[in-house]
């Protein structure tokens, strides 16, 4: 029963998806000026739309749609017509383009909740850059932040090519803007409450409402028991899933002491309940028409959730199988239905890490790995314990990222891009790559002392050489949400060294050895300092160096970034930020976010 190259019909993205609206702005003076610019302005808008639609995809794999009016905006009346058009077309992101001078306050996008950018053409025949500066000044004065996009090199009038540097900024803004639009109006599904006193799982409804435009749907974990007992799941799919699991999910050795090992019959029951839990969590997030057919109309509609969390420990796991299989398989890009979109599910109901996973997912369309930031291994400590001296990228030491048995199987690194380990959007994953991820994972009987109710742990080691970005959203008293980012690489250790280090903690759990890129200064002066400055016990990591995109997205959400190792030329924020200081960008970020406040309303 091999992985199929098909996708599941159950998806977080079956509804109407937000579009990007392109606003062609023009000098409204008739009798020669406007007439000479109509076709050029519309061509600039259409070229931007073509770039975006051909480069970006929604999480369901469809090309991002753009809306371009068939007329230009020369004043407020036309501005209002375009606003009405965008409302009808479900536009969630606004990009203004112009090759010329226009009337700034009459043509500005006034929707305060939509991310905005302005591309002013760098040409000498008409002063597009002058309009860009004037319009951005207006946005800054009114407190409606907008990104300014201005090419480095002068172009000739009528040149329809988009320079490479402009393309980078257009796409960076579009990715972040779409992330904001995609999460607006959706839900975080909180299954249970606070896990083991972890601060991140004290779910803050106000954070979701004011900063993300989302809501929190809270359910008790007994809902799993009710749905299991009353068979509120697709029974045919359950049989299919269980058969697939028995075929594809290889069991690893049981490391429990003989007196703590569960019987074979008990383990089989754990598998059965674990598969049911996965089906139930998915249905609670996305809904399932099969439940409606069975007479469970309320349960069949789901909770409109694009991210969820499961408390598990300890009230559930003290007498029921843990949620590790559920979390690992749902956050992977494949299951018994084939290759499909991953779902974001946070271990231990750590909603802050769930948000971090969601941000990374919306920027990359790829699976995210939830992990503990467990240990910093210095070169001296590695040498003392194993006799091995780390080399190459790992010569300054590395971090042990590990989770209590649940991590996306994409995190094995068995997918590839140009020969390098990767985690890819589901539409780029081959059946062979999905199978390699499964084959690289052993399902180990969970540690009975931790999980008295049993369950399974997904055990693997991530391949080395994958560029990744670790991130974490934290809540800070007196400040609010703040983001930290660390770009770096996975590393692979010799098997003997890996085994020695891995067995010093729980060797049934998935491991990623991670080295952040160090800069020699601040908290990134060395690997130890990164570990020492990390704000919580968890992180989430994405494939690729996406720190610049995360910074852009954080600015749109009014969330300051207090720790990152992103190169200065990749930092792209609204022009409003410049007014709060250009020498100290980190300080300016804090001041700008504080001055603006959360996008969707002040604290009540």
């Amino acid at each position: 029963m091999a992985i199929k190259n098909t996708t599941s019909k159950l998806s977080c993205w079956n509804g109407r998806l937000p579009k990007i609206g392109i606003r062609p702005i023009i000098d409204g003076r008739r009798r020669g000026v406007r007439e000479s610019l109509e076709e050029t302005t519309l061509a600039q808008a259409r070229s931007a739309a073509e770039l975006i639609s051909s480069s970006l995809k929604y999480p369901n794999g469809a090309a991002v749609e753009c809306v371009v009016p068939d007329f230009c905006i020369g004043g407020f009346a036309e501005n209002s017509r375009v606003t009405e058009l965008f409302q009808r077309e479900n536009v969630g992101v606004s990009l203004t383009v112009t090759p010329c001078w226009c009337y700034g306050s009459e043509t500005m996008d006034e929707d305060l909740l939509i991310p905005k950018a302005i591309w002013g053409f760098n040409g000498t025949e008409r002063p597009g850059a002058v309009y860009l500066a004037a319009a951005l000044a207006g946005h800054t004065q009114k407190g409606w932040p907008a990104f300014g996009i201005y090419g480095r090199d002068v172009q000739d009038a009528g040149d329809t090519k988009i320079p490479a540097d402009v393309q980078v900024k257009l796409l960076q803004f579009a990715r972040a803007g779409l992330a904001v639009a995609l999460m607006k109006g959706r839900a975080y599904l909180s299954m249970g409450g606070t896990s083991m006193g972890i601060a991140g799982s004290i779910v803050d409804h106000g954070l979701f409402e004011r900063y993300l435009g989302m809501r929190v749907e809270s359910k008790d974990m007994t809902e799993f028991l009710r749905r299991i007992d009353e068979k509120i799941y697709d029974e045919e799919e359950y049989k299919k899933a269980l058969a697939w699991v028995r075929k594809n999910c290889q069991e690893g050795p049981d490391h429990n002491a003989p007196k703590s090992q569960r019987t074979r019959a008990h383990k089989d029951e754990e598998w059965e309940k674990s598969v049911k839990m996965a089906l139930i969590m998915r249905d609670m997030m996305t809904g399932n028409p099969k439940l409606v057919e069975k007479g469970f109309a309320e349960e069949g509609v789901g909770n409109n959730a694009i991210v969820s969390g499961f408390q598990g420990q300890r009230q559930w796991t003290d007498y029921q199988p843990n949620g590790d299989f559920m979390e690992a398989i749902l956050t992977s890009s494949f299951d018994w239905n084939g290759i499909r979109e991953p779902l974001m599910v946070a271990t231990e109901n750590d909603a802050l890490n769930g948000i971090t996973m969601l941000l990374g997912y919306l920027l990359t369309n790829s699976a995210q790995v939830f992990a503990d930031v467990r240990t910093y291994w210095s070169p001296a400590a590695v040498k003392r314990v194993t006799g091995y001296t780390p080399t190459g990228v790992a010569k300054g030491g590395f971090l042990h990222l590990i989770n209590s048995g649940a991590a996306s199987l994409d995190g094995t690194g068995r997918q590839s891009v140009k020969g390098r380990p990767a985690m890819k959007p589901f539409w780029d994953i081959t059946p062979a790559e999905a199978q390699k991820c499964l084959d690289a994972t052993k399902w180990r009987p969970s540690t009975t002392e931790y999980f008295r109710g049993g369950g399974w742990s997904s055990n693997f080691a991530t391949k080395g050489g994958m560029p990744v970005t670790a991130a974490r959203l934290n809540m800070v008293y007196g400040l609010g949400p703040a983001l930290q980012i660390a770009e770096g690489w996975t590393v692979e250790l010799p098997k003997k060294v890996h085994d020695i280090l891995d067995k010093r903690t729980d060797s049934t759990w998935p491991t990623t050895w991670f080295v952040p890129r160090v800069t020699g200064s601040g908290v990134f002066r060395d690997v130890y300092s990164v570990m020492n400055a990390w704000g919580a016990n968890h992180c989430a990591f994405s494939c690729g160096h996406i720190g610049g995109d995360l910074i852009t997205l954080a600015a749109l959400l009014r969330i300051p970034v207090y720790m990152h190792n992103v190169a200065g030329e990749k930092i792209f924020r609204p022009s409003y930020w410049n007014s709060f200081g250009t020498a100290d960008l980190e300080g300016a970020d804090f001041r700008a976010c504080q001055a603006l406040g959360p996008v969707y309303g002040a604290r009540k």
Side-chain angles (χ1 to χ4, degrees):
M1 193 177 296
I3 288 285
K4 297 179 181 178
N5 197 13
T6 57
T7 58
S8 172
K9 294 180 181 179
L10 295 176
S11 167
C12 285
W13 310 107
N14 287 328
R16 199 171 174 215
L17 294 171
K19 302 173 185 177
I20 296 181
I22 315 293
R23 306 173 68 253
I25 308 296
I26 201 167
D27 189 327
R29 289 173 288 193
R30 299 281 184 175
R31 301 183 184 180
V33 177
R34 177 166 180 158
E35 291 83 351
S36 69
L37 293 165
E38 291 275 2
E39 286 306 314
T40 299
T41 305
L42 285 171
Q44 184 180 354
R46 290 165 183 156
S47 65
E50 171 60 26
L51 170 69
I52 291 169
S53 292
S54 63
S55 303
L56 302 182
K57 293 185 178 181
Y58 294 114
N60 67 1
V64 168
E65 294 186 54
C66 295
V67 178
V68 182
D70 57 6
F71 59 91
C72 295
I73 302 170
F76 186 65
E78 290 161 325
N79 193 0
S80 298
R81 287 174 59 195
V82 170
T83 298
E84 293 170 2
L85 169 67
F86 284 2
Q87 289 172 346
R88 291 195 303 271
E89 292 291 329
N90 194 35
V91 165
V93 183
S94 170
L95 172 63
T96 295
V97 304
T98 187
C100 60
W101 165 255
C102 315
Y103 295 175
S105 61
E106 297 179 15
T107 59
M108 290 167 60
D109 183 344
E110 297 181 344
D111 191 323
L112 304 186
L113 300 183
I114 289 183
K116 301 170 184 59
I118 304 172
W119 171 25
F121 185 83
N122 185 359
T124 56
E125 289 83 357
R126 298 283 185 177
V130 177
Y131 168 76
L132 173 64
L136 290 175
H139 278 278
T140 296
Q141 183 173 330
K142 292 175 180 289
W144 306 344
F147 289 79
I149 300 173
Y150 178 57
R152 178 174 290 274
D153 299 318
V154 173
Q155 294 179 261
D156 297 330
D159 186 351
T160 59
K161 293 190 291 292
I162 303 179
D165 62 324
V166 173
Q167 290 187 34
V168 169
K169 289 187 174 181
L170 284 173
L171 295 178
Q172 189 167 338
F173 163 74
R175 280 191 294 269
L178 273 175
V180 172
L182 284 165
M183 69 178 77
K184 183 180 177 183
R186 303 302 297 275
Y188 175 83
L189 176 60
S190 174
M191 294 302 305
T194 303
S195 175
M196 301 183 295
I198 294 172
S201 63
I202 303 172
V203 182
D204 186 335
H205 290 225
L207 167 64
F208 283 91
E209 294 162 1
R210 297 191 309 274
Y211 285 89
L212 308 181
M214 295 174 60
R215 65 180 298 154
V216 176
E217 288 288 291
S218 298
K219 307 293 180 182
D220 194 272
M221 290 182 292
T222 55
E223 179 65 1
F224 282 94
L225 296 178
R226 184 181 78 89
R227 293 195 183 208
I228 290 172
D229 291 345
E230 298 183 16
K231 296 188 176 180
I232 308 176
Y233 52 86
D234 183 340
E235 293 177 74
E236 287 303 312
E237 185 182 4
Y238 165 66
K239 294 175 185 176
K240 174 184 176 182
L242 186 60
W244 181 88
V245 165
R246 287 171 173 161
K247 175 75 172 180
N248 291 280
C249 296
Q250 307 170 54
E251 291 187 18
D254 189 338
H255 81 156
N256 289 292
K259 66 177 182 179
S260 299
Q261 292 183 5
R262 284 98 66 188
T263 65
R264 181 68 256 173
H266 196 289
K267 291 176 181 176
D268 289 342
E269 290 176 4
E270 292 169 21
W271 271 125
E272 292 167 6
K273 187 164 283 189
S274 294
V275 171
K276 291 174 184 176
M277 289 169 64
L279 292 172
I280 289 168
M281 178 64 104
R282 182 204 62 195
D283 292 349
M284 291 184 70
M285 291 181 69
T286 68
N288 189 344
K290 291 289 186 180
L291 303 187
V292 179
E293 293 174 12
K294 290 185 68 174
F296 298 104
E298 180 183 357
E299 294 85 349
V301 298
N303 288 276
N304 196 32
I306 55 172
V307 57
S308 66
F310 179 68
Q311 175 195 332
Q313 299 185 74
R314 286 184 42 209
Q315 286 75 13
W316 179 269
T317 57
D318 273 6
Y319 86 115
Q320 294 289 335
N322 61 30
D324 289 2
F325 173 79
M326 172 185 73
E327 294 163 8
I329 202 67
L330 291 181
T331 57
S332 300
S333 301
F334 43 84
D335 61 16
W336 43 89
N337 288 319
I339 298 170
R340 46 93 179 140
E341 305 153 27
L343 295 175
M344 300 298 105
V345 184
T347 299
E348 295 160 347
N349 201 26
D350 183 348
L352 295 178
N353 223 43
I355 293 172
T356 311
M357 294 173 74
L358 179 61
L359 301 185
Y361 172 50
L362 294 177
L363 290 171
T364 65
N365 294 327
S366 302
Q368 306 292 299
V369 175
F370 184 114
D372 284 2
V373 184
R374 180 60 67 101
T375 309
Y376 164 65
W377 278 102
S378 68
V382 174
K383 177 72 172 178
R384 179 182 63 80
V385 171
T386 69
Y388 173 75
T389 300
T391 61
V393 174
K395 65 182 180 181
F398 45 83
L399 303 183
H400 192 179
L401 305 184
I402 186 172
N403 187 20
S404 52
S408 169
L409 272 58
D410 299 55
T412 60
R414 266 58 178 188
Q415 302 159 27
S416 66
V417 174
K418 296 181 179 178
R420 298 185 68 180
M423 297 188 291
K424 302 190 293 189
F426 76 89
W427 57 82
D428 285 334
I429 299 172
T430 67
E433 288 177 319
Q435 193 63 52
K436 286 180 181 178
C437 294
L438 281 163
D439 293 343
T441 305
K442 297 293 186 293
W443 296 92
R444 305 280 297 275
S446 61
T447 303
T448 306
E449 287 83 1
Y450 283 158
F451 303 110
R452 299 172 189 171
W456 300 90
S457 296
S458 56
N459 177 226
F460 62 75
T462 303
K463 284 187 70 68
M466 180 163 61
V468 296
T469 301
R472 169 72 188 187
L473 184 71
N474 294 305
M475 285 295 287
V476 182
Y477 176 77
L479 172 64
L483 186 67
Q484 53 188 164
I485 300 166
E487 295 183 340
W489 300 268
T490 63
V491 294
E492 216 165 319
L493 302 178
K495 187 176 185 309
K496 180 180 178 182
V497 176
H498 167 88
D499 289 344
I500 293 172
L501 300 184
D502 201 40
K503 288 176 181 177
R504 290 176 68 97
T505 180
D506 195 311
S507 60
T508 68
W509 296 346
T511 279
T512 302
W513 305 109
F514 170 63
V515 177
R517 183 176 60 246
V518 296
T519 63
S521 62
V523 295
F524 284 94
R525 59 185 173 273
D526 53 32
V527 179
Y528 166 80
S529 299
V530 175
M531 172 74 181
N532 200 40
W534 206 251
N537 55 310
H538 292 151
C539 77
F541 70 80
S542 305
C543 180
H545 290 158
I546 65 163
D549 285 345
L550 283 169
I551 288 173
T552 297
L553 176 53
L556 284 172
L557 298 172
R558 315 290 192 263
I559 295 174
V561 179
Y562 70 92
M563 169 179 166
H564 72 81
N565 57 351
V566 178
E569 63 270 16
K570 293 184 178 180
I571 297 175
F572 187 35
R573 294 186 174 109
S575 60
Y576 178 89
W577 267 242
N578 295 335
S579 302
F580 290 84
T582 55
D584 175 15
L585 297 184
E586 185 175 284
D589 185 27
F590 277 81
R591 291 186 289 273
C593 289
Q594 182 180 35
L596 290 168
V599 178
Y600 301 100
R603 181 182 295 273
K604 295 180 182 179

